Amino acid sequence: MLNHFFMTLLVAAVPVIELRGAIPYGIAVGLTPWETFLAAIIGNLLPVPFIMLLIRRIFDFLRKRPFWESKIEHLEKKAHLKGKVVKKYRTPGLILLVAIPLPGTGAWTGALVASLLDIRMRMAIPAIFAGLLIAGIIVLTVSCGVGSLF
């Protein structure tokens, strides 16, 4: 079971898949809903500080390469578009961005947006964590059904 826990944690750390894919995976391999939830939250939160600390340096490095320049511009433009709610409402907006379990939202996007909008880590990480808790509850409820959670 420990292997399933760590695999669920790793699935949650992967961009795009994140918690939305890790919770159904954890349930499918036989973890309890709460083990799955814990692994998915931890795994999805792990990359956040690294994204916030390093993403600008990585983007600056890649922007110097012709192949990556347009891709980085596209990512930044998408992040700024997603960040409109965050820019307007700051912390509650960041929570909302992360909490909606749809493609293009989540901890990776939240960390990118927070970094590009210069939201300090001490504000961003708790907001991203709160958003992950909300998204995790939504995905867990959909994956298991309300009755099987208790």
mmCIF file of all heavy atoms in Angstrom, residues 4 8 17 19 31 42 48 55 63 70 73 80 82 88 107 110-111 117 121 147 150:
data_model
loop_
_atom_site.group_PDB
_atom_site.id
_atom_site.type_symbol
_atom_site.label_atom_id
_atom_site.label_comp_id
_atom_site.label_asym_id
_atom_site.label_seq_id
_atom_site.Cartn_x
_atom_site.Cartn_y
_atom_site.Cartn_z
ATOM 1 N N HIS A 4 1.516 2.422 -3.427
ATOM 2 C CA HIS A 4 0.365 3.109 -4.025
ATOM 3 C C HIS A 4 0.252 4.539 -3.512
ATOM 4 O O HIS A 4 -0.100 5.452 -4.252
ATOM 5 C CB HIS A 4 -0.927 2.348 -3.735
ATOM 6 C CG HIS A 4 -1.009 1.014 -4.395
ATOM 7 N ND1 HIS A 4 -0.751 0.837 -5.735
ATOM 8 C CD2 HIS A 4 -1.321 -0.201 -3.901
ATOM 9 C CE1 HIS A 4 -0.905 -0.439 -6.042
ATOM 10 N NE2 HIS A 4 -1.239 -1.096 -4.941
ATOM 11 N N THR A 8 0.582 7.708 -5.965
ATOM 12 C CA THR A 8 -0.484 8.712 -5.996
ATOM 13 C C THR A 8 0.113 10.094 -5.752
ATOM 14 O O THR A 8 -0.242 11.063 -6.441
ATOM 15 C CB THR A 8 -1.563 8.393 -4.935
ATOM 16 O OG1 THR A 8 -2.080 7.081 -5.198
ATOM 17 C CG2 THR A 8 -2.686 9.407 -4.964
ATOM 18 N N ILE A 17 -2.031 16.851 -14.812
ATOM 19 C CA ILE A 17 -2.741 15.756 -14.148
ATOM 20 C C ILE A 17 -3.113 16.179 -12.735
ATOM 21 O O ILE A 17 -4.276 16.124 -12.346
ATOM 22 C CB ILE A 17 -1.896 14.465 -14.118
ATOM 23 C CG1 ILE A 17 -1.612 13.995 -15.535
ATOM 24 C CG2 ILE A 17 -2.601 13.387 -13.310
ATOM 25 C CD1 ILE A 17 -0.633 12.846 -15.614
ATOM 26 N N LEU A 19 -3.903 16.932 -8.887
ATOM 27 C CA LEU A 19 -4.846 16.316 -7.954
ATOM 28 C C LEU A 19 -6.053 15.703 -8.675
ATOM 29 O O LEU A 19 -6.568 14.681 -8.264
ATOM 30 C CB LEU A 19 -5.268 17.433 -6.994
ATOM 31 C CG LEU A 19 -6.287 17.190 -5.944
ATOM 32 C CD1 LEU A 19 -5.773 17.812 -4.642
ATOM 33 C CD2 LEU A 19 -7.565 17.881 -6.309
ATOM 34 N N LEU A 31 -6.388 2.594 -2.346
ATOM 35 C CA LEU A 31 -6.175 3.412 -1.150
ATOM 36 C C LEU A 31 -7.525 3.850 -0.585
ATOM 37 O O LEU A 31 -8.502 3.970 -1.331
ATOM 38 C CB LEU A 31 -5.348 4.652 -1.483
ATOM 39 C CG LEU A 31 -3.885 4.451 -1.883
ATOM 40 C CD1 LEU A 31 -3.260 5.785 -2.259
ATOM 41 C CD2 LEU A 31 -3.089 3.797 -0.765
ATOM 42 N N ILE A 42 -0.453 16.449 -0.661
ATOM 43 C CA ILE A 42 0.995 16.584 -0.456
ATOM 44 C C ILE A 42 1.717 16.630 -1.804
ATOM 45 O O ILE A 42 2.557 17.495 -2.051
ATOM 46 C CB ILE A 42 1.545 15.438 0.411
ATOM 47 C CG1 ILE A 42 1.021 15.551 1.836
ATOM 48 C CG2 ILE A 42 3.077 15.434 0.412
ATOM 49 C CD1 ILE A 42 1.293 14.325 2.703
ATOM 50 N N VAL A 48 5.072 23.511 -5.677
ATOM 51 C CA VAL A 48 4.675 24.926 -5.615
ATOM 52 C C VAL A 48 5.816 25.860 -5.208
ATOM 53 O O VAL A 48 6.082 26.844 -5.904
ATOM 54 C CB VAL A 48 3.422 25.107 -4.726
ATOM 55 C CG1 VAL A 48 3.152 26.568 -4.422
ATOM 56 C CG2 VAL A 48 2.215 24.467 -5.401
ATOM 57 N N ILE A 55 10.617 29.817 -11.452
ATOM 58 C CA ILE A 55 9.987 29.905 -12.772
ATOM 59 C C ILE A 55 10.484 31.098 -13.592
ATOM 60 O O ILE A 55 10.686 30.979 -14.797
ATOM 61 C CB ILE A 55 8.435 29.889 -12.674
ATOM 62 C CG1 ILE A 55 7.832 29.535 -14.033
ATOM 63 C CG2 ILE A 55 7.898 31.204 -12.168
ATOM 64 C CD1 ILE A 55 8.117 28.160 -14.502
ATOM 65 N N ARG A 63 13.844 31.695 -22.724
ATOM 66 C CA ARG A 63 13.471 32.751 -23.664
ATOM 67 C C ARG A 63 14.624 33.095 -24.604
ATOM 68 O O ARG A 63 14.407 33.568 -25.715
ATOM 69 C CB ARG A 63 13.024 33.997 -22.893
ATOM 70 C CG ARG A 63 12.350 35.021 -23.745
ATOM 71 C CD ARG A 63 11.851 36.220 -22.945
ATOM 72 N NE ARG A 63 10.546 35.926 -22.380
ATOM 73 C CZ ARG A 63 10.295 35.768 -21.079
ATOM 74 N NH1 ARG A 63 11.249 35.890 -20.198
ATOM 75 N NH2 ARG A 63 9.087 35.518 -20.649
ATOM 76 N N SER A 70 8.608 31.666 -28.118
ATOM 77 C CA SER A 70 7.165 31.822 -28.344
ATOM 78 C C SER A 70 6.348 30.993 -27.359
ATOM 79 O O SER A 70 5.255 31.403 -26.939
ATOM 80 C CB SER A 70 6.800 31.444 -29.780
ATOM 81 O OG SER A 70 7.062 30.079 -30.016
ATOM 82 N N GLU A 73 6.285 32.938 -24.090
ATOM 83 C CA GLU A 73 5.363 34.079 -24.244
ATOM 84 C C GLU A 73 3.915 33.611 -24.133
ATOM 85 O O GLU A 73 3.093 34.257 -23.485
ATOM 86 C CB GLU A 73 5.598 34.788 -25.587
ATOM 87 C CG GLU A 73 6.929 35.468 -25.717
ATOM 88 C CD GLU A 73 7.133 36.600 -24.732
ATOM 89 O OE1 GLU A 73 6.150 37.309 -24.419
ATOM 90 O OE2 GLU A 73 8.269 36.767 -24.264
ATOM 91 N N HIS A 80 -1.314 35.344 -17.324
ATOM 92 C CA HIS A 80 -1.858 36.676 -17.048
ATOM 93 C C HIS A 80 -3.366 36.713 -17.262
ATOM 94 O O HIS A 80 -4.083 37.378 -16.516
ATOM 95 C CB HIS A 80 -1.154 37.736 -17.890
ATOM 96 C CG HIS A 80 0.173 38.133 -17.336
ATOM 97 N ND1 HIS A 80 0.315 38.834 -16.162
ATOM 98 C CD2 HIS A 80 1.432 37.899 -17.772
ATOM 99 C CE1 HIS A 80 1.594 39.027 -15.907
ATOM 100 N NE2 HIS A 80 2.296 38.456 -16.865
ATOM 101 N N LYS A 82 -5.421 34.095 -16.869
ATOM 102 C CA LYS A 82 -5.973 33.373 -15.720
ATOM 103 C C LYS A 82 -5.854 34.213 -14.454
ATOM 104 O O LYS A 82 -6.634 34.075 -13.524
ATOM 105 C CB LYS A 82 -5.239 32.043 -15.506
ATOM 106 C CG LYS A 82 -5.344 31.093 -16.653
ATOM 107 C CD LYS A 82 -6.335 30.050 -16.364
ATOM 108 C CE LYS A 82 -6.351 29.060 -17.515
ATOM 109 N NZ LYS A 82 -7.592 28.412 -17.641
ATOM 110 N N LYS A 88 -7.443 40.977 -9.273
ATOM 111 C CA LYS A 88 -8.529 41.778 -8.706
ATOM 112 C C LYS A 88 -8.761 41.444 -7.230
ATOM 113 O O LYS A 88 -8.935 42.338 -6.409
ATOM 114 C CB LYS A 88 -9.816 41.559 -9.500
ATOM 115 C CG LYS A 88 -10.967 42.415 -9.044
ATOM 116 C CD LYS A 88 -12.160 42.257 -9.951
ATOM 117 C CE LYS A 88 -13.292 43.149 -9.495
ATOM 118 N NZ LYS A 88 -14.479 42.997 -10.335
ATOM 119 N N ALA A 107 -2.678 23.875 -8.742
ATOM 120 C CA ALA A 107 -1.535 24.391 -7.991
ATOM 121 C C ALA A 107 -0.431 24.908 -8.910
ATOM 122 O O ALA A 107 0.177 25.939 -8.624
ATOM 123 C CB ALA A 107 -0.986 23.312 -7.066
ATOM 124 N N GLY A 110 -1.686 28.153 -10.301
ATOM 125 C CA GLY A 110 -1.726 29.102 -9.196
ATOM 126 C C GLY A 110 -0.341 29.602 -8.821
ATOM 127 O O GLY A 110 -0.138 30.795 -8.591
ATOM 128 N N ALA A 111 0.634 28.713 -8.764
ATOM 129 C CA ALA A 111 2.007 29.104 -8.433
ATOM 130 C C ALA A 111 2.600 29.983 -9.526
ATOM 131 O O ALA A 111 3.283 30.975 -9.231
ATOM 132 C CB ALA A 111 2.873 27.866 -8.221
ATOM 133 N N LEU A 117 2.612 37.603 -10.747
ATOM 134 C CA LEU A 117 1.960 38.774 -10.159
ATOM 135 C C LEU A 117 2.666 39.258 -8.888
ATOM 136 O O LEU A 117 2.157 40.122 -8.187
ATOM 137 C CB LEU A 117 0.492 38.466 -9.844
ATOM 138 C CG LEU A 117 -0.412 38.188 -11.035
ATOM 139 C CD1 LEU A 117 -1.826 37.864 -10.567
ATOM 140 C CD2 LEU A 117 -0.425 39.362 -12.008
ATOM 141 N N MET A 121 5.358 34.408 -1.251
ATOM 142 C CA MET A 121 5.120 33.001 -0.923
ATOM 143 C C MET A 121 4.318 32.844 0.364
ATOM 144 O O MET A 121 3.500 31.950 0.472
ATOM 145 C CB MET A 121 6.440 32.234 -0.826
ATOM 146 C CG MET A 121 7.039 31.947 -2.179
ATOM 147 S SD MET A 121 8.594 31.040 -2.108
ATOM 148 C CE MET A 121 8.079 29.497 -1.421
ATOM 149 N N GLY A 147 -21.658 9.447 0.115
ATOM 150 C CA GLY A 147 -21.932 8.436 1.138
ATOM 151 C C GLY A 147 -20.734 7.584 1.492
ATOM 152 O O GLY A 147 -20.591 7.166 2.638
ATOM 153 N N PHE A 150 -17.741 8.732 4.388
ATOM 154 C CA PHE A 150 -17.881 8.718 5.848
ATOM 155 C C PHE A 150 -18.075 7.334 6.397
ATOM 156 O O PHE A 150 -18.369 6.386 5.970
ATOM 157 C CB PHE A 150 -19.057 9.611 6.262
ATOM 158 C CG PHE A 150 -18.884 11.022 5.778
ATOM 159 C CD1 PHE A 150 -19.573 11.479 4.672
ATOM 160 C CD2 PHE A 150 -18.004 11.859 6.431
ATOM 161 C CE1 PHE A 150 -19.399 12.776 4.228
ATOM 162 C CE2 PHE A 150 -17.848 13.164 5.987
ATOM 163 C CZ PHE A 150 -18.543 13.620 4.886
#
